[in-house]
Amino acid sequence: MRPQSVGTTPGSATADRRLSCLRRHLEPISSSSSSPSPSSAAMESSQTISASPTSAFDSVFAHLAQAPEDPILGVTVAFNKDPSPIKLNLGVGAYRTEEGKPLVLNVVRKAEQLLVNDKSRVKEYLPIVGLADFNKLSAKVIFGADSPAIQENRVTTVQCLSGTGSLRVGGEFLARNYHQRMIYIPQPTWGNHAKLFPLAGLSVKTYRYYDPPTRGLNFQGLLEDLSSAPSGAIVLLHACAHNPTGVDPTLEQWEQIRQLMRSKGLLPFFDSAYQGFASGSLDADAQPVRMFVADGGECLVAQSYAKNMGLYGERVGALSIVCKSADVAIRVESQLKLVIRPMYSNPPIHGASIVATILKDRNMFDEWTVELKAMADRIISMRQQLFEALRARGNPIEVHFCTPGDWSHIIKQIGMFTFTGLNSEQVAFMTREYHIYMTSDGRISMAGLSSKTVPHLVDAMHAAVTGAA
């Protein structure tokens, strides 16, 4: 074995031998001239890799500015960097147990185990529209098993990437196929609404919704703004548990909204992210949607199983479009495929399989509804505990903060979030002095609270509204 040259490695020696062999192969067998052949010169040149024209300069992306953190997800980023042992994250839109831990539902674990044990399952692509059982059962969850629209085959449902993906697909479908490209969203609303709809091709306008003085619904303003919307405009409606305010219309108010929208030919687009998570009842939380479907008109509904099944990271959702006839529904589905195929081709299989497994088994479905109600009840309990603790602190808070003089909006609002009314300066004070994290608009996640952390939050709110207001 030939000794290895000093300063070389086995890998570099092997590479040298290969280059030498290749050079001999390319050179002529005999040469009448001592000058290097063209092929030899080419080989010599090929051993030196020329520098990229841009390598002497900054990155081609050097001009990019640092993008700001997402106003919601950025709260968790800041929370994770805080070493304080008393820190509290009330910004995350995910359920937490009384111990402050993420929760995987027992029925979800059972469903996953069944899927794992099924050796017949494969990892093939789903169709563009997703898992058929999931789509069929999801439509029944939101519209009701006895819905005439389902029985008459007037509903087309496609599996999407949770609620965000369902809204995005629906938005692009409308931009391509609907005569109006204007969508009205409530003020305020979930921050992603104003970002995703323009990217889908729609122009965004707002309608009045929240009333800061009462911390309730500005119903008159809502009706006035929808009355002045152009005929045929799309209107985004939160099906229940409005995010971020927790303020929902009453059923009587929903009926007035329905009548107004139908009279003006406005197209409803429901965002249903919290069905069952608001009241603890799937049917009660779906009533506004079902009111619009019952009149025979058309509408769109985006569903998410992130909250009500705790499948946050599985990204499981559905977009349903209720049409006037079965024939139209078939054509709508064909156009939805044209939107989905170049966007993400087809959806993932695992999360949808979990949902379908639970929904098609009566015992598992019943177990899910029990666990779902338990989550909703804990959130309602946190509202009551926070309300009572704030009231117990007495007049200083009431004088400086509350109008008309109590904290009743906390127990009147519903769902995961409460719009406290705290301003951005007060929020910053609570983060700086008490290590409590929330969005700058004063929205807090009731699911992030526990009996142990309520006193800490109350101390911070008391200090914020009496000393930093």
Side-chain angles (χ1 to χ4, degrees):
M1 181 176 179
R2 293 181 62 184
Q4 183 177 314
S5 301
V6 176
T8 65
T9 63
S12 62
T14 301
D16 290 344
R17 287 196 297 274
R18 288 175 177 169
L19 285 171
S20 177
C21 180
L22 181 60
R23 187 182 298 112
R24 288 196 301 271
H25 175 75
L26 293 173
E27 288 175 349
I29 296 176
S30 61
S31 177
S32 57
S33 170
S34 61
S35 61
S37 68
S39 61
S40 176
M43 279 304 301
E44 293 291 340
S45 172
S46 70
Q47 294 182 59
T48 303
I49 300 175
S50 60
S52 164
T54 61
S55 64
F57 304 99
D58 287 337
S59 165
V60 294
F61 304 112
H63 65 286
L64 295 180
Q66 179 67 36
E69 292 283 1
D70 180 271
I72 297 175
L73 301 182
V75 172
T76 298
V77 173
F79 171 83
N80 289 336
K81 292 179 180 178
D82 188 342
S84 172
I86 62 169
K87 64 182 181 179
L88 178 61
N89 188 357
L90 300 180
V92 63
Y95 183 81
R96 294 291 181 263
T97 65
E98 176 68 18
E99 295 71 38
K101 303 297 184 182
L103 176 68
V104 178
L105 300 185
N106 290 327
V107 72
V108 167
R109 292 197 185 279
K110 289 180 182 179
E112 283 192 304
Q113 194 59 56
L114 288 173
L115 295 172
V116 169
N117 293 342
D118 184 356
K119 302 303 181 183
S120 68
R121 285 179 55 79
V122 294
K123 300 294 186 181
E124 293 292 303
Y125 291 123
L126 286 178
I128 296 173
V129 297
L131 190 66
D133 280 351
F134 169 84
N135 292 338
K136 178 181 178 181
L137 294 165
S138 292
K140 289 183 177 180
V141 167
I142 190 64
F143 300 123
D146 58 351
S147 170
I150 293 177
Q151 294 172 354
E152 296 163 9
N153 297 314
R154 293 190 289 110
V155 179
T156 183
T157 302
V158 294
Q159 180 190 337
C160 297
L161 305 181
S162 202
T164 304
S166 303
L167 292 164
R168 181 68 168 76
V169 169
E172 187 163 324
F173 166 81
L174 292 170
R176 292 188 185 190
N177 301 288
Y178 187 58
H179 69 277
Q180 262 283 10
R181 293 189 177 182
M182 183 179 297
I183 184 166
Y184 281 75
I185 64 177
Q187 178 60 39
T189 190
W190 178 50
N192 230 10
H193 285 148
K195 298 174 183 177
L196 68 88
F197 285 123
L199 291 174
L202 300 176
S203 61
V204 173
K205 293 201 171 186
T206 61
Y207 61 90
R208 282 171 284 176
Y209 190 87
Y210 181 68
D211 184 44
T214 63
R215 294 178 177 82
L217 180 66
N218 184 353
F219 188 56
Q220 190 58 40
L222 182 154
L223 294 178
E224 290 174 1
D225 288 350
L226 294 188
S227 294
S228 62
S231 177
I234 309 156
V235 180
L236 182 86
L237 302 164
H238 293 235
C240 66
H242 180 274
N243 179 5
T245 69
V247 175
D248 285 354
T250 65
L251 287 179
E252 291 75 18
Q253 290 171 331
W254 271 118
E255 176 59 19
Q256 292 183 60
I257 294 169
R258 185 196 67 79
Q259 292 180 12
L260 171 61
M261 290 184 61
R262 292 310 194 195
S263 69
K264 287 187 59 67
L266 304 176
L267 181 63
F269 193 161
F270 283 96
D271 184 355
S272 179
Y274 301 96
Q275 185 185 358
F277 208 82
S279 68
S281 166
L282 291 166
D283 292 330
D285 290 349
Q287 281 186 286
V289 173
R290 294 176 186 179
M291 289 169 61
F292 278 79
V293 175
D295 67 15
E298 294 175 305
C299 66
L300 292 83
V301 182
Q303 284 174 272
S304 168
Y305 288 95
K307 272 70 175 184
N308 58 17
M309 276 196 189
L311 297 175
Y312 304 96
E314 299 293 351
R315 312 309 295 145
V316 194
L319 172 69
S320 291
I321 302 182
V322 180
C323 306
K324 283 285 191 179
S325 67
D327 176 62
V328 171
I330 292 172
R331 282 179 277 152
V332 165
E333 181 176 297
S334 72
Q335 292 295 325
L336 286 169
K337 291 179 181 179
L338 298 184
V339 173
I340 293 170
R341 176 60 171 155
M343 189 183 293
Y344 55 85
S345 195
N346 44 58
I349 193 171
H350 184 68
S353 297
I354 293 173
V355 175
T357 299
I358 293 169
L359 295 184
K360 67 186 177 184
D361 183 280
R362 170 48 62 180
N363 291 332
M364 296 184 80
F365 180 88
D366 289 344
E367 185 175 352
W368 171 47
T369 60
V370 170
E371 291 193 83
L372 176 57
K373 188 174 189 307
M375 289 192 290
D377 286 349
R378 196 186 88 75
I379 292 174
I380 292 170
S381 172
M382 286 300 100
R383 289 185 178 279
Q384 190 66 38
Q385 288 185 41
L386 178 60
F387 167 69
E388 291 174 357
L390 286 169
R391 289 295 301 272
R393 293 304 294 263
N395 289 332
I397 294 183
E398 294 178 2
V399 170
H400 283 82
F401 183 62
C402 272
T403 302
D406 60 36
W407 290 89
S408 62
H409 60 280
I410 290 175
I411 52 177
K412 290 176 181 176
Q413 295 170 6
I414 192 170
M416 179 174 282
F417 300 108
T418 286
F419 223 42
T420 61
L422 293 166
N423 60 43
S424 59
E425 291 79 14
Q426 291 165 336
V427 169
F429 170 84
M430 291 170 61
T431 300
R432 184 175 65 253
E433 302 297 330
Y434 287 83
H435 305 274
I436 295 177
Y437 291 81
M438 66 185 79
T439 53
S440 61
D441 57 8
R443 185 196 80 167
I444 62 173
S445 172
M446 300 306 300
L449 270 180
S450 70
S451 300
K452 294 179 181 178
T453 57
V454 164
H456 180 50
L457 175 61
V458 171
D459 287 344
M461 293 175 71
H462 181 82
V465 301
T466 58

